[in-house]
Amino acid sequence: MQTILGGEFEAGLASLANRLATHPNKHADPQSEPLISLARLNFQIPDRQDLPPLDRYASLRLPDGTSRIAGYTESSRGCKHLCRHCPIVPVYNGAFRIVAKEIVLEDIRRQIKAGAQHITFGDPDFFNGVGHAIPLIESLRKEFPHLTYDATIKIEHLRKHENQIAKLRDTNCLFITSAVESIDDAVLENLAKNHTRKDFEHVLRAFRAQNLPLQPTFVPFSPWTTLDSYNDLLDFLAANDLIENVAPIQLAIRLLIPAGSRLFDLPDIQNLAGPFDEKALAHPWQHPDPSVDKLCEAVQQIVHTGEKLNRTRHQIFARIQEAARRAAGLDQLTKSEALPLLAARATIPYVTEPWYC
Ligand code: SF4
């Protein structure tokens, strides 16, 4: 027997626990709980007492080499946007739910008592409810002046609420993660991201002006990637001094096509995607140009080895760039153009388990 609980899962989970505890033939039962629930639940303060201690989870690394114990909470769930590639969309389909401010604050208070020095807001998009997020971070700053935090916010919202970037910084936000996905406007259009390369560049400048790090995430390998466009992305990151801002795994991500994905709106995807693979939890696809898939595998290997050997982001990036230029038949960079392989350690804070959007 298996049970799948998507979306607002708690009522389904309680029902399952009840069913398993009381039903005599529980293993033969078909699932009676909805696969996906968007019920409006009465959120409770999460009881985290039986979980492993916070120092056993991912932590925050600071530029000076020190670490901080990180906690995690959500001030909202779901997302009001419909980006085509996003696995949240087939579940929430544009719905999102706010978690009451007092519940979020109490959850954070308890995690601070348990040792948290930094909080990651795991909301799919922290500014889906910007009118909820701002008073929340203001209260947090007032009650815990030394607590730092990070959150994920889409480029469209950062552009629209540009005047709040200073507020994020002044309330001890250490960095914002943003799913940029691509610097190619045609790909952004396919993904229905509702931002352009120019918007990303604008937001990047706004963050630099406020001295707050932006950590972009990407889907660099999609059916629309070419060897040249991948090299363009690497050149863009190097030219814009973004190598330290991008977790190396972000340069190896391959487009995921989950069940019910809106990517199937696109004829390219209808023609390319295979039947749903239950083990991989996705529709498999192969790039029309096998050399792009080969490069993706090579980049994944470089990232894997680099992280195992504790190489810096600059060192991993240089190796990826070398492989990408070789694959595209481009000349290798000369010594003066190439990035220093012994670059200093990261100059921006990051969480030790990178965020895959
Ligand atoms: S990619 Fe981000 S903004 Fe787009 S639907 Fe998913 S969570 Fe929402």
Side-chain angles (χ1 to χ4, degrees), residues 159-171:
R159 179 125 209 209
K160 190 167 165 200
H161 304 293
E162 194 179 323
N163 59 342
Q164 299 292 3
I165 298 174
K167 170 70 71 183
L168 292 166
R169 181 204 55 209
D170 294 343
T171 49

Side-chain angles (χ1 to χ4, degrees), residues 328-348:
L330 298 171
D331 291 339
Q332 291 299 329
L333 297 175
T334 60
K335 264 204 174 143
S336 59
E337 292 166 322
L339 298 155
L341 281 177
L342 291 171
R345 68 179 157 218
T347 49
I348 59 161

Side-chain angles (χ1 to χ4, degrees), residues 51 77 116 137 170 175 254 259 267 275 316:
L51 296 176
R77 288 170 161 195
I137 54 179
D170 294 343
F175 61 90
R254 209 166 174 276
I316 298 173

Side-chain angles (χ1 to χ4, degrees), residues 107-149:
D107 185 24
I108 294 174
R109 275 181 207 117
R110 292 181 185 185
Q111 293 189 58
I112 290 172
K113 255 191 207 151
Q117 299 158 306
H118 175 90
I119 291 290
T120 289
F121 283 100
D123 309 41
D125 197 294
F126 196 53
F127 274 5
N128 266 328
V130 66
H132 170 58
I134 298 297
L136 176 64
I137 54 179
E138 284 173 341
S139 298
L140 211 53
R141 173 83 170 97
K142 218 166 152 190
E143 191 171 340
F144 302 105
H146 301 295
L147 182 77
T148 56
Y149 72 92

Side-chain angles (χ1 to χ4, degrees), residues 79 81-83 85-86 88-89 124-125 128 154 179 181 193 357:
C79 183
H81 297 279
L82 298 170
C83 304
H85 63 306
C86 179
I88 291 173
V89 173
D125 197 294
N128 266 328
K154 81 197 299 277
E181 319 300 32
K193 285 300 296 181
C357 186

Side-chain angles (χ1 to χ4, degrees), residues 52-59 69-70 114-115:
L54 285 176
D55 60 6
R56 303 242 323 258
Y57 292 89
S59 59
I69 295 176

